[in-house]
Amino acid sequence: MTHAPRIFDRIALLRHRSRARADDLFLQQLAVDEIKDRLSMVNRTFKSIAIVTGFPEIWQHDFPDAKLVSDSDTLELEVGQHDLVIHAMCLHWSNDPVGQIIQCRRALIPDGLFLGVLLGGRTLYELRAALTDAESRVSGGISPRVSPMAEIREVGALLQRAGLNLPVADGHASIAKYRDLAHLMLDLRDMGETNALASRLRRPTPRPVFEMAQTLYRENYATPDGYLSATFEMICLTGWSPDDSQPKPLRPGSAQARLADALMTRETKLPD
């Protein structure tokens, strides 16, 4: 039996979450609003909802009847018991994202809906660039301090690997402004989103690295009004558990009309 590589330190992640401040969980609230908006466009009433989350108190407020499940490696979900499973803002902390989605798919009834929301690859690219450049200049090397985050195309492929039908992945970015680097990093701590890499340094980062990072950040990513710009990309995943009632692609060569006729244009042969 093979195991997914251990990228994140689960104990450190839980410790960081325990220190989070409820008033500062704006990313979680953005995710709640995103999910509610998506569900408003689905012509269906869901009666058995499960939510995988690291912050159950945030999600329980808007989904009071949902089963709330911790994002541990093995999800406490029963097979075939839910018509909607939401993986809420914790796939980017998973050592095995496709395994998490597979477990969610197994918990769905036929034609059940999976919704996932997570932070994407553009998240905090400004901070990552400033810290990497600063540490390289000051220390002559780079330490593991940035979580790997997937691009939309990559996480979209996970839906198909997990066996979900009609997969869709899309995303959008939100821009926050901070007065300085310390303010941004304090906010990340209060959101429970600080470094939990298993390979992270276990000693304090030298002050000159942060001073250089502050200078580089302001030089490259300051807003016209003097604040530091910080990007948070949110990716939303949608997929359905397989069912015979779902639309299926036509067999190649089975079309009953020519594309040129539908487009009202003249068909021409490609050169050899």
Side-chain angles (χ1 to χ4, degrees):
M1 179 178 179
T2 60
H3 296 275
R6 183 172 174 266
I7 302 172
F8 299 108
D9 181 344
R10 177 76 180 172
I11 295 175
L13 176 61
L14 295 178
R15 183 169 62 246
H16 296 168
R17 287 175 176 173
S18 71
R19 296 172 180 169
R21 294 162 49 95
D23 293 341
D24 294 304
L25 298 177
F26 76 92
L27 287 179
Q28 295 289 327
Q29 192 56 56
L30 282 176
V32 170
D33 295 341
E34 181 72 23
I35 292 295
K36 289 172 63 179
D37 185 57
R38 303 278 174 151
L39 290 175
S40 70
M41 296 183 285
V42 178
N43 186 24
R44 184 178 299 186
T45 299
F46 296 98
K47 299 179 179 179
S48 180
I49 303 173
I51 303 177
V52 180
T53 174
F55 293 96
E57 64 279 3
I58 297 294
W59 291 84
Q60 188 172 41
H61 180 270
D62 289 272
F63 298 90
D65 298 324
K67 177 179 181 178
L68 301 173
V69 177
S70 172
D71 63 322
S72 55
D73 290 341
T74 301
L75 302 178
E76 294 184 6
L77 293 171
E78 297 181 3
V79 175
Q81 294 299 307
H82 299 282
D83 53 8
L84 171 63
V85 175
I86 301 169
H87 207 296
M89 284 293 287
C90 40
L91 268 177
H92 56 277
W93 287 118
S94 173
N95 288 313
D96 182 18
V98 68
Q100 291 277 300
I101 301 175
I102 288 173
Q103 292 180 72
C104 292
R105 190 259 298 165
R106 289 174 177 168
L108 289 168
I109 63 173
D111 203 33
L113 176 60
F114 169 80
L115 287 175
V117 60
L118 68 153
L119 294 179
R122 293 182 59 205
T123 298
L124 297 176
Y125 74 87
E126 306 96 337
L127 176 62
R128 288 183 283 166
L131 281 174
T132 298
D133 195 2
E135 190 168 27
S136 178
R137 295 189 189 193
V138 173
S139 304
I142 301 172
S143 59
R145 65 175 67 254
V146 178
S147 298
M149 293 187 182
E151 304 296 332
I152 290 179
R153 181 181 303 176
E154 296 170 344
V155 291
L158 297 184
L159 295 171
Q160 293 178 308
R161 288 179 58 191
L164 289 164
N165 287 349
L166 310 175
V168 176
D170 60 84
H172 61 85
S174 299
I175 309 296
K177 296 195 296 185
Y178 294 90
R179 61 176 177 265
D180 52 36
L181 183 61
H183 185 207
L184 167 56
M185 300 190 77
L186 178 62
D187 207 24
L188 292 176
R189 187 193 70 179
D190 290 342
M191 290 188 288
E193 295 286 343
T194 47
N195 187 0
L197 287 168
S199 59
R200 70 192 184 281
L201 288 180
R202 306 304 171 103
R203 62 179 184 273
T205 299
R207 180 181 294 273
V209 172
F210 287 119
E211 293 174 346
M212 176 63 72
Q214 165 78 16
T215 299
L216 295 171
Y217 205 133
R218 191 165 296 281
E219 287 178 356
N220 294 291
Y221 305 110
T223 64
D225 52 357
Y227 286 86
L228 302 183
S229 175
T231 300
F232 295 94
E233 182 185 29
M234 192 167 291
I235 295 177
C236 190
L237 305 176
T238 305
W240 297 83
S241 59
D243 186 70
D244 291 340
S245 65
Q246 294 167 348
K248 297 177 177 58
L250 293 174
R251 179 175 52 82
S254 62
Q256 300 298 312
R258 295 167 63 248
L259 179 61
D261 293 339
L263 297 176
M264 294 183 290
T265 187
R266 186 168 62 90
E267 182 178 15
T268 58
K269 291 184 178 181
L270 294 174
D272 294 334

